Amino acid sequence: MSDEAFHAAAGEDCHLFGDNNCGFEEVAPTVSVFFPEPFMEFGLPLTAGITKYTLMLVISVLLVMGFWYLATRRAAVVPGRLQSVAEMLVTFIRDQVTRQQMGQAGDKYLPMMVTLFLFIFVMNAMGIIPGLQLPVTSHIAYPAALAIYVYVMWNAIGIKKHGVAGHFVGRVVPGGTPKWILPLLVPIEIAQNFIAKPVTHALRPFAAMLSGHLLLAVFAAGGFYMFNLGADGFLSVVSVGYSGLALVAFVVFTGFELFIMALQAYVFIMLASSYLGEALEGQH
Amino acid sequence: MILAAEQENPLALHTDELVFGFIALFVLLFVMYRMWPKITSVLDERANQIEGGIERARKAEAEAEEIRQQYREKIEEAHRQYAQELEKAKEQRAAIIAEAREEAQAEARRVIEAAHAQIEADRQHALAQLRGEIGTLSTDLAERIVGETLSDSAAQNRVIDRFLDELEQSESQAEVR
């Protein structure tokens, strides 16, 4: 639900210093902002239907494809502007992420990492695009899909490279540990590698986007709530001052959010590369 | 609103969204992998060109160094040849001077010898002439003496005879010399 719609639903009269003694808790944004009205429902349990998220997902995919198509359409040795940006991204991810985590073998997974980075970043950035203003990744299902894909790749690469036993033993038995501690260590390793890692991998961008967006929504709603020109005398000036502060905070935090959005995408592929690197390496 | 809030669990994983997410990811991955070679080929080609450029520059530098070395050698060779030529020229000059000196000395000797011969010849000639003149003079003198005293005695006749003998003797002596 966009902020405007939200405020309309909460009622026009609820403001600071208002006559009806209305508190902020009545207009403060709740998790409802992450549950827009579906355009179409499937009527099945555990489904959300076709919602704004679905629309933004399609837009994200098209944006990434469009960017990449335009950037590489006339790929030349002397690059154009968009091509330079794409090349910078590719070389940055290659030098700072895949080669750091996987060595030269990581070049094979470079397109995957670039795709994941762009996809996550664009899905995150939906949160600050005016009119949409809702990060796609604030629904756990989308980062979960990406994390599951990485998890499956992680296992597939490990099994392909070291065999089923080699992969699983390599993951749950840390190299160089004394035998007597293994009964204690193996369950921890299983829990960490096969449960905690993929779950946190998905949760990380989700939680960052959920909280970030909620923070922005609170600043927006607060600014609107505190803006009351109808208040008595001096109080209306105070209300405008408060509202201005909230606006400044909103702008600053929007910039900060953009940084977080890129950072989360970077962290996601950094972890993905690290996991795939482990699988390639075998026993560590 | 309250009823909806119960369902609004932000941690709820919607299965349809998961499926949409997978579809979106695979479509995107498929398309990105299809478009990928373009950017890598460009990056590779650029790397090749840069490497090629560096390689070319290195080769050109090596070539320049080689040519410079050759020039240096040539210059040294030229210097050496120049020094040799100079030495040879000096030797030749000395030889020519020596030869000229020798020739001049020989010429001088020859001139001197010729002069000596001429002098000798002149002397001989003068001697012969002198001798003839002396004879004539002597004869004249003798004639005169003889003509005036011929009527004298027989002693005078002997004097004349002796004089003539002596004259003959001296003449034969002069011929021997």
Side-chain angles (χ1 to χ4, degrees), chain A residues 145-162:
Chain A
L146 309 185
I148 289 168
Y149 170 68
V150 172
Y151 183 69
V152 169
M153 287 296 284
W154 175 68
N155 281 305
I157 289 167
I159 288 166
K160 196 175 158 197
K161 188 106 178 170
H162 303 287

Side-chain angles (χ1 to χ4, degrees), chain B residues 43-60:
Chain B
L43 286 173
D44 289 348
E45 196 181 335
R46 186 176 310 139
N48 276 346
Q49 283 191 3
I50 290 168
E51 271 169 21
I54 290 169
E55 191 56 40
R56 270 200 301 278
R58 200 171 289 149
K59 213 178 278 177

Side-chain angles (χ1 to χ4, degrees), chain A residues 43-58:
Chain A
L44 296 167
L46 287 176
T47 57
I50 305 289
T51 63
K52 189 176 168 186
Y53 278 93
T54 324
L55 176 70
M56 289 191 301
L57 182 71
V58 172

Side-chain angles (χ1 to χ4, degrees), chain A residues 32 35 42 46-49 65 72-73 75-77 83 87 111-112 115 119 139-142 145-146 149 206, chain B residues 8-12 14-18 20 22 24-29 31-33 36 38 42 45-46 49:
Chain A
S32 315
F35 294 92
F42 298 129
L46 287 176
T47 57
M65 280 184 195
T72 61
R73 180 181 43 165
V77 175
Q83 194 195 331
E87 280 179 7
M112 171 182 156
T115 306
F119 192 30
H139 265 195
I140 182 75
Y142 299 109
L146 309 185
Y149 170 68
F206 157 71
Chain B
E8 283 174 356
N9 177 7
L11 277 168
H14 305 292
T15 48
D16 53 348
E17 286 186 335
L18 197 62
F20 294 154
F22 275 122
L25 176 65
F26 289 132
V27 167
L28 195 56
L29 278 173
V31 173
M32 288 289 281
Y33 267 92
W36 191 257
K38 270 192 162 179
V42 164
E45 196 181 335
R46 186 176 310 139
Q49 283 191 3

Side-chain angles (χ1 to χ4, degrees), chain A:
Chain A
M1 199 185 295
S2 71
D3 295 326
E4 295 79 20
F6 177 78
H7 292 304
E12 286 295 316
D13 297 336
C14 193
H15 285 293
L16 184 65
F17 310 133
D19 304 328
N20 52 4
N21 204 14
C22 178
F24 182 56
E25 66 276 7
E26 287 174 46
V27 290
T30 65
V31 288
S32 315
V33 296
F34 299 107
F35 294 92
E37 286 296 313
F39 305 129
M40 189 188 111
E41 278 185 283
F42 298 129
L44 296 167
L46 287 176
T47 57
I50 305 289
T51 63
K52 189 176 168 186
Y53 278 93
T54 324
L55 176 70
M56 289 191 301
L57 182 71
V58 172
I59 292 173
S60 299
V61 170
L62 292 178
L63 267 178
V64 174
M65 280 184 195
F67 166 72
W68 206 256
Y69 174 72
L70 288 177
T72 61
R73 180 181 43 165
R74 287 199 219 94
V77 175
V78 179
R81 252 178 251 168
L82 264 183
Q83 194 195 331
S84 295
V85 173
E87 280 179 7
M88 255 156 66
L89 185 73
V90 169
T91 50
F92 175 79
I93 291 175
R94 186 189 63 195
D95 298 338
Q96 301 300 320
V97 180
T98 59
R99 282 192 184 167
Q100 297 280 330
Q101 302 292 340
M102 297 186 263
Q104 286 287 330
D107 285 6
K108 199 178 155 192
Y109 305 101
L110 187 56
M112 171 182 156
M113 293 304 162
V114 171
T115 306
L116 283 175
F117 177 82
L118 282 172
F119 192 30
I120 295 171
F121 177 65
V122 171
M123 285 200 293
N124 289 349
M126 286 292 147
I128 56 168
I129 290 176
L132 297 170
Q133 278 173 322
L134 193 56
V136 183
T137 35
S138 62
H139 265 195
I140 182 75
Y142 299 109
L146 309 185
I148 289 168
Y149 170 68
V150 172
Y151 183 69
V152 169
M153 287 296 284
W154 175 68
N155 281 305
I157 289 167
I159 288 166
K160 196 175 158 197
K161 188 106 178 170
H162 303 287
V164 177
H167 173 61
F168 288 107
V169 170
R171 295 284 70 73
V172 301
V173 181
T177 47
K179 285 253 190 300
W180 59 267
I181 207 166
L182 286 181
L184 196 64
L185 208 54
V186 166
I188 296 174
E189 287 286 317
I190 289 172
Q192 190 196 330
N193 280 310
F194 289 93
I195 299 164
K197 273 185 180 175
V199 170
T200 55
H201 200 200
L203 278 178
R204 207 171 269 111
F206 157 71
M209 286 307 107
L210 184 87
S211 56
H213 184 67
L214 210 50
L215 189 67
L216 290 186
V218 166
F219 278 120
F224 192 77
Y225 169 73
M226 290 188 285
F227 187 77
N228 188 3
L229 285 176
D232 300 335
F234 183 66
L235 287 179
S236 65
V237 180
V238 173
S239 81
V240 170
Y242 283 169
S243 165
L245 279 176
L247 179 70
V248 168
F250 179 79
V251 170
V252 168
F253 274 88
T254 299
F256 186 60
E257 267 302 294
L258 184 63
F259 169 69
I260 298 287
M261 285 159 179
L263 190 70
Q264 284 302 330
Y266 172 73
V267 166
F268 190 90
I269 60 161
M270 185 60 109
L271 287 170
S273 300
S274 160
Y275 297 162
L276 297 192
E278 268 177 20
L280 282 171
E281 200 183 314
Q283 186 145 23
H284 57 88

